[in-house]
Every structure is written in structure tokens, then in C-alpha cells.
Amino acid sequence: MEGGERALATQTRESRSGRRRFLKTLGAGAATLLALEVLESTARPAEAAPAAPPAALPAERPQEDVLLRMQRDLQRALRKPAHLRRWAMVIDLRKCVGCSACTIACVAENKLPPGVVYRPVVDEEIGTYPHVTRRFLPRPCMQCDNPPCVPVCPVNATYKRADGIVAINYDQCIGCRYCIVACPYNARTFDAGEHYTDGTPGRSPVEEVPNFEYGKPWKREGDASPVGNARKCHFCLHRLEAGMLPECVTSCIGRATYFGDAEDPEALVSELMHRPNAVRLKEELGTKPRVYYLL
Amino acid sequence: MRRLLYVVWLVAFGLGLWGVGERLVLGHRLAAYGSYVVWGLWVSVYIYLIGLSAGAFLLSSLVYVFRVERLERIGKLALFTAVVTLLTALLSIWFDLGHMERFYRVYTSPNFRSMMAWMIWLYTGYFLVLLGEAYLAFRPDLVRWSQEAGRSRLQRTVARWLTLGRTTLEGDVLERERKVLQVLATVGVPLAVAFHGGVGALFATVSAKMYWHQSIVPILFLTGALVSGGGLLTAVVAFAWPQRDGEYRELVSLLGRVLLLLVAVDVLLEWAEFSIPLWYGTSPEGHLLQVVLFGPYWWVFWVLHLGLGTLVPVVLLVLRPRDPAAVGWAGLLVAATFLSVRLNVVIPAQIEPALRGLERAFTGPRLVFSYVPSVHEWLVTLFVLATTAALLWLGARLLPLMDTEVAR
């Protein structure tokens, strides 16, 4: 437990200083009226450096893009102390068209190598020809409140954060893969050290730049972590703490994925996750997922 | 024959070294396990060897705890086998780790909610008890060997070193040591049961895999350990015992009868394991048992395990109970084919997607729900098995493993 708590304390400290910076810049009144997506892309390179200033959002309008509402929800959540946030995701299966944009956006954001995937879209074919339909089910990590993957770790390398996210300490993980077999959603994968460009003359640039998982640059080189580790979706924690929504949310062309602070009754996710048609996967296992599906 | 065995060993060890080189240079890139089937051959070999260790150790307790005099002569052999197979089991699982250099963290930052942490700490305790026990069991013979003129220089030197400088053979010292040995062996029995039951529980506690999540799994691990360990000891005694007298034939025949009993118990439990979930055909793990029985690798169960590993040995043990060669072959078959049982524990649980359709969701060579060990994995396993054989051979050469002079 100790290791997890220590990591938690560090993260809380980091996010506190991030919040101070956030409030300071807000007070200075730095404002820009660029569109949200543009803002996000300009903010991206600043991730390694001090946290980006929060996006100034256009005034609320009826019929506006839900991304704007979720961005407002996110900014409100980030103003709260870290331990009072409880991230949750809602996925509307009626809106998912199975384009897999979220899967690919996630691969790009986290520079995922072959064999590692955080958010595949499960593609189920129902019926027999010619009476066939397909059902799509995006499957991020469920960030379970009772996660089966956490207690199995022999070295405390994976832990549940106060904000609900199940995190991995790459530097602690010994690569035994017990957590991978323990996950009832197959949501963890193993980084075997491969590259998409293996067997070609060079590396693609995206394979050579670091990702910023857990707010730290990770360059995949040789056998250094995250190679040899279990890996999983973390709701793009590094983006959240820089004031950005998870990559799968912003990239969803059908706006089928919603994200926010479940402790905030005004947040869109709070509204949606309490709808009567909201379900969680494998509820019977008692894992208490933080991802809800609207049927 | 002997020369042929040496050649086979050399080739196996050479190929194995090549595999280990690949593993150290290229990491996990050549392994066939991936992100869905994450545990493969090396994990299976690990539980196979660690089962041999627990089985050999539990059989040694017949000598050192329960004082079964007729088996007294195999006590040291059993202890030594337990030490060797435990060490090479750990070698196999060490190669399997994503970060081999971090293995010590299971000691520096253990999580005692994890069954894996329990297993590791228990077999560490077991290893210490085993070492202490082996030292006390071997010491009188080692002292004698270090002084005997008939021994080679190497044998005398090794024996002298292993006595750790304690050379007394006084009656009351030996008596005291024998009492300590009995205490250690008695402590060792629950420890061995707990640690190997813990290996089974490591699988059985995973509720995500219904195939493992059965109360009978840790029990099957224990009976499996006894059967495979018993088979190995029987084979070693039958084929490598220095004297071929009446006492030898008695010993082998007794071991054969013990082995037959153990196989019978194991078959009974296995019947329970398969028949209960399959009976009405509606249980969640029934489908995977069907795959084991009738899937593409049906022969692993029917031919290797049930045929060569159970039926043939039982026939040999029933029809030729007093023929040391037949009993030896029965033991060898039981022990060697038990790897098929271990593979059938580890692999099938992982071949079913947690969500239907996941197998088509985002695909790639490591995102598949099937597994066949790669050549590289077999090479590393050859290294582990060749090392096991070499250590056992060295022990037989250099240590009073099967010395008939038992300190009474």
C-alpha cells in the first residue's frame, strides 16, 4: 500500500501546484476566442512544460456542441481539490457508429506500440445473413471502484487513485502480467517492446517521441519502461490535469462518449449515468465500473 | 547409450543457451504470448517444476517426519531433487518477467493481498527450510565422504566445503541434529502444502477466468505435485540406483505402489474437475473444458496426459509391479508428460475473449486469443530443462545422494 500512497501524494502535490497556476492565469484574464480543438492542439506541446492555461470557452448557448459543456464541467472539476473529483465516463451505444476513431486517437495520443490497445471498439455481429445487425461497444478501462487488477499486483505497482482512476507505476511494475489475467474486461495489455516499423529501414517519428502518460515523458527505448510493463487506459490523466478532455472523447465523431466529474451534480455525465437505460458491464462481478453504457 | 544421452544433453543445452541469449538481447519480442494470452510455456514450465519440487519434498517427509524406514534411503535424493527443481522453476519464471532486473521488489515492496506475493514469500520460507534440512540430512555422509580414500578428489573437496566446516560425528551431536531435522521437516510439510496450494490459488482466485476460479484447482495442484514428484523419484531410483540388489527391487516396487495410489487419487479428482461442469453442459467454464477435450490440441489431453501419462503407467504398474525397469518407465512417463497437464491449466483459460467480439475489435499478432509457443520459447525451456538435468546429474556424481550408508 505504501508505494501507492506515496505516488498518490506526489500526484496530489503536482496537481495542487497546477491548480495554483491555473487560478493565477485565470485571474490575469488571459483569454482567447479560438475554437476548442485548435486550442487543444496548440496546448499539447506545452504538456511537458508547465501546465497550459485553461481554455477560455465561448459563452453558453442552447444547442451547442456537448464538448463545450463537458469542457466547462472539466474546468469546474479542476477547480475542486483533487480528492473530491470522481471521474466517470458514459458511452451512448445508440450513437456509436463503430468508426474506431477513438481507438486510433488513443493510439496516437499515447503512442501505443503493436499489441497494446487501450480502447478497442468491440464489434459484434448479430443474426445470420440477410438478417444481420452490428453492435459496437467501445471498451476503455472501466476504472473499477473495486478493481480486480489492483490487489493481485505482488509489488503494489498498480493502485486506485482518489479521483477514481486505476493507475500503473511503470517504474515499479515487474511485468508479471498477473493484473492482465485478472481483468474481467481484457482492458490491460502487455508492451512486448515492438514497433510498428520493425522490419523497415527506419522508425516513424511518432514512435520516437515520448508519450506523457501519468504526467511524465516516457520514451520507449530498448527495454526501458513502459516496455515490459502492463499498460492500460487511464482516462488520459495527463490531459485531464492539463485541462483537456480524454482523447477518445474529443475525437468521437458521433459525440457518443461523455466524460466528467460524477461528484458534480451539474455535470453532463452525472445527468447521463443516472438515466434508466444506463448499464455497466459484468455488474454481477461486483467490480463497480466507472464507465456506463447507454442502451 | 550413456554417450548418446550426453550428446543429446549437449545439443539441448547449446540450443538452450542460444534461446537465453535471444531472450536477454531481444526481450519478449520473439515470444508468442501477447496481450490476451499473456502466460504461456514458461509459466507452465514454472508450475511444472515447482510442482516436482513440492512433490519430491512432501515424499521426503515420509522419511524425515513420518519415519517410514523402508523409504529412508531415498530421503536425501528427494530433498536434493526438491532443491534443484525449485531453483530451475524460478529460472523459468524469471525469464518470463517483463523486467527481470526488478524481481527483488517482491521482497522490498510486497503486497500481501496478492496471492502471488504470498506464494513467493511462502516458497522463500520453504527454500530456507529445505536448505537447512538438506544440510542436516547430508552432513554426516558429507563428513564421511570428505575423509574416505575411495572418493575422488573433487568429491572429497565438494563434500568438505558443504559440511561448512562442521566435521563432528559424535553420537549425541548427530542425535541432536536428527531432532532438529525432524522439526524442520515437520515445519516444511505445512509450508510446502501452503506454497504449492498457493501456486494453485494464484490461479483459482482469479474470478475473471471461470476456468481457474474453482475450489478444486489448488487441491489438484497438490495431488499433481505428488504424482509428478513421485514419478520423477521413482524413475531416478529405478534407473540410477548404484546397487541392484534385493533391497533395490523392494524399494522400486514400493515406490511403484505409492505412485499407483497417487495416480488413482489424481484421476479421481480430475474426473470431478471435468465431469461436474460438463454434466449438463451449461456451466460457464464448460465450453473451455470442451476445447481441452475436443479442440485443436485434444491430443495434449488424450495422448500425452491420459494415454502416455496415465494409462500406460497404470498398466505397467499393475502388470509388472516387481519389474524395476517397468516401474521406472512408468515413473518417467508420469513425470515427463505432466507438463501437458500444466499447459492445459495455464493456456485454455486465456483463449476466450472477456467480451464477445473483442477478438475482432483491434487486431494484431499479439492481440489474438490463441497461443502456440514459439521456437524461441521452446529453446529457453530446453535451457531450463537441460539445467535441471545437469544439476541432478552433478548431484548424483558429487554428492552422497543415494549413499546406502544412512546415518542411523
Side-chain angles (χ1 to χ4, degrees):
Chain A
M1 283 312 289
E2 227 177 85
E5 271 161 19
R6 221 176 304 130
L8 199 66
T10 327
Q11 262 144 359
T12 318
R13 242 192 337 271
E14 277 166 12
S15 60
R16 243 178 234 147
S17 62
R19 209 161 42 248
R20 254 200 306 279
R21 275 196 298 274
F22 171 87
L23 290 172
K24 224 155 77 188
T25 38
L26 199 74
T32 150
L33 292 169
L34 289 169
L36 189 61
E37 297 293 314
V38 178
L39 252 178
E40 279 195 3
S41 60
T42 51
R44 197 92 44 94
E47 269 173 20
L57 299 165
E60 214 169 321
R61 278 181 301 141
Q63 307 277 305
E64 68 178 358
D65 191 323
V66 285
L67 279 177
L68 288 166
R69 165 143 185 219
M70 287 191 280
Q71 190 72 39
R72 268 185 214 103
D73 292 350
L74 178 65
Q75 293 193 351
R76 210 161 49 244
L78 288 175
R79 265 176 251 129
K80 294 185 357 185
H83 66 278
L84 295 179
R85 304 169 201 149
R86 297 289 284 171
W87 303 122
M89 186 173 278
V90 178
I91 301 173
D92 191 338
L93 296 184
R94 296 163 307 180
K95 288 189 176 173
C96 177
V97 297
C99 70
S100 291
C102 56
T103 312
I104 303 307
C106 170
V107 168
E109 170 66 28
N110 296 299
K111 312 336 184 259
L112 301 183
V116 178
V117 62
Y118 290 172
R119 190 186 155 104
V121 178
V122 175
D123 180 346
E124 217 182 327
E125 199 172 283
I126 300 157
T128 46
Y129 181 82
H131 307 290
V132 180
T133 52
R134 280 162 85 192
R135 178 163 64 192
F136 306 108
L137 184 129
R139 199 249 34 227
C141 169
M142 301 291 138
Q143 318 291 354
C144 303
D145 277 344
N146 184 19
C149 55
V150 167
V152 300
C153 178
V155 296
N156 290 306
T158 186
Y159 54 96
K160 178 88 177 160
R161 289 164 45 103
D163 60 10
I165 291 174
V166 175
I168 300 176
N169 179 351
Y170 284 155
D171 287 328
Q172 173 71 3
C173 169
I174 61 172
C176 72
R177 318 196 282 291
Y178 198 10
C179 56
I180 303 183
V181 295
C183 174
Y185 306 99
N186 278 145
R188 286 174 174 247
T189 48
F190 177 61
D191 189 333
E194 289 177 322
H195 293 85
Y196 280 108
T197 49
D198 282 345
T200 68
R203 290 262 176 270
S204 110
V206 76
E207 291 174 315
E208 293 193 315
V209 290
N211 72 45
F212 293 95
E213 290 180 281
Y214 307 109
K216 187 182 154 184
W218 298 94
K219 210 161 157 24
R220 281 178 84 256
E221 268 174 340
D223 291 329
S225 284
V227 171
N229 290 137
R231 301 183 65 177
K232 66 182 279 295
C233 153
H234 32 60
F235 278 174
C236 281
L237 187 58
H238 55 288
R239 286 172 59 90
L240 294 181
E241 300 204 323
M244 293 183 274
L245 289 165
E247 187 63 48
C248 54
V249 176
T250 51
S251 63
C252 179
I253 59 163
R255 299 287 186 265
T257 297
Y258 309 100
F259 183 84
D261 176 15
E263 289 290 294
D264 176 1
E266 300 299 313
L268 179 60
V269 279
S270 306
E271 207 177 281
L272 296 175
M273 64 192 252
H274 293 115
R275 289 220 177 141
N277 59 336
V279 298
R280 297 188 291 185
L281 295 182
K282 302 197 181 184
E283 188 90 65
E284 72 281 6
L285 293 177
T287 50
K288 302 193 174 74
R290 299 199 62 74
V291 175
Y292 295 76
Y293 292 89
L294 300 180
L295 293 179
Chain B
M1 181 65 190
R2 187 161 289 239
R3 184 160 298 171
L4 179 71
L5 279 179
Y6 288 153
V7 171
V8 168
W9 182 85
L10 256 181
V11 171
F13 190 72
L15 289 171
L17 269 182
W18 177 261
V20 169
E22 284 179 332
R23 168 67 186 83
L24 295 179
V25 173
L26 296 170
H28 295 258
R29 291 169 190 84
L30 296 179
Y33 48 76
S35 277
Y36 293 145
V37 180
V38 290
W39 286 350
L41 179 65
W42 298 342
V43 173
S44 311
V45 170
Y46 159 71
I47 60 172
Y48 168 64
L49 288 171
I50 214 158
L52 289 176
S53 177
F57 178 83
L58 288 173
L59 289 171
S60 81
S61 70
L62 291 176
V63 177
Y64 298 113
V65 182
F66 303 106
R67 300 249 159 240
V68 178
E69 279 189 18
R70 291 165 70 196
L71 288 175
E72 192 148 357
R73 291 165 60 186
I74 65 155
K76 282 175 291 162
L77 172 67
L79 284 178
F80 183 74
T81 309
V83 174
V84 167
T85 45
L86 177 66
L87 288 176
T88 52
L90 296 180
L91 192 61
S92 185
I93 204 65
W94 190 47
F95 289 129
D96 190 71
L97 284 186
H99 283 273
M100 294 165 79
E101 77 286 1
R102 295 180 188 164
F103 79 93
Y104 67 89
R105 298 206 177 150
V106 297
Y107 298 112
T108 56
S109 45
N111 166 24
F112 285 114
R113 275 189 78 198
S114 166
M115 192 47 80
M116 191 181 280
W118 272 107
M119 176 194 73
I120 292 161
W121 280 65
L122 284 168
Y123 68 56
T124 305
Y126 161 79
F127 185 56
L128 295 177
V129 167
L130 191 53
L131 282 184
E133 219 185 298
Y135 175 69
L136 294 176
F138 277 92
R139 202 189 65 85
D141 284 339
L142 288 171
V143 173
R144 248 173 256 128
W145 272 42
S146 67
Q147 292 156 359
E148 260 174 33
R151 301 288 161 200
S152 72
R153 233 180 97 188
L154 186 60
Q155 280 178 331
R156 283 205 305 267
T157 313
V158 170
R160 196 170 56 244
W161 279 36
L162 291 179
T163 59
L164 304 181
R166 205 171 135 89
T167 51
T168 171
L169 282 177
E170 282 168 39
D172 52 335
V173 173
L174 290 184
E175 186 55 35
R176 212 168 41 239
E177 283 190 353
R178 218 163 50 213
K179 283 210 177 101
V180 177
L181 173 57
Q182 187 166 11
V183 171
L184 279 181
T186 312
V187 172
V189 172
L191 209 50
V193 171
F195 109 78
H196 200 62
V199 182
L202 182 153
F203 294 93
T205 48
V206 174
S207 60
K209 309 276 190 247
M210 281 314 287
Y211 183 79
W212 291 337
H213 196 45
Q214 310 290 331
S215 324
I216 203 170
V217 167
I219 311 298
L220 272 170
F221 267 67
L222 289 174
T223 55
L226 286 167
V227 168
S228 57
L232 182 64
L233 282 183
T234 306
V236 173
V237 172
F239 294 128
W241 201 257
Q243 289 87 20
R244 299 288 155 122
D245 47 13
E247 215 180 323
Y248 155 79
R249 275 190 292 279
E250 272 305 306
L251 184 60
V252 174
S253 151
L254 176 63
L255 284 171
R257 273 173 285 156
V258 172
L259 183 61
L260 186 60
L261 176 75
L262 291 172
V263 170
V265 172
D266 198 49
V267 166
L268 178 72
L269 291 185
E270 227 171 7
W271 169 251
E273 183 202 9
F274 279 85
S275 65
I276 288 172
L278 284 175
W279 199 259
Y280 295 113
T282 50
S283 77
E285 77 276 22
H287 161 68
L288 290 173
L289 291 169
Q290 294 260 8
V291 172
V292 170
L293 296 180
F294 310 113
Y297 304 104
W298 59 271
W299 49 270
V300 175
F301 179 83
W302 293 103
V303 179
L304 293 180
H305 170 52
L306 215 55
L308 290 173
T310 309
L311 201 62
V312 175
V314 165
V315 168
L316 285 172
L317 291 170
V318 169
L319 295 183
R320 313 283 296 274
R322 306 202 60 80
D323 175 359
V327 174
W329 272 104
L332 189 65
L333 279 173
V334 167
T337 59
F338 216 80
L339 181 58
S340 64
V341 178
R342 301 314 195 187
L343 281 164
N344 266 341
V345 169
V346 175
I347 316 297
Q350 305 171 73
I351 61 165
E352 200 168 50
L355 303 164
R356 204 160 36 146
L358 185 59
E359 70 279 13
R360 282 193 304 274
F362 184 80
T363 54
R366 288 187 193 276
L367 291 168
V368 290
F369 288 91
S370 63
Y371 168 79
V372 181
S374 66
V375 174
H376 165 69
E377 287 173 79
W378 281 113
L379 291 183
V380 172
T381 290
L382 262 185
F383 175 81
V384 171
L385 296 179
T387 306
T388 312
L391 289 175
L392 288 175
W393 179 84
L394 277 177
R397 279 280 164 125
L398 299 176
L399 296 173
L401 284 193
M402 296 177 262
D403 206 32
T404 42
E405 293 288 316
V406 178
R408 283 175 209 272

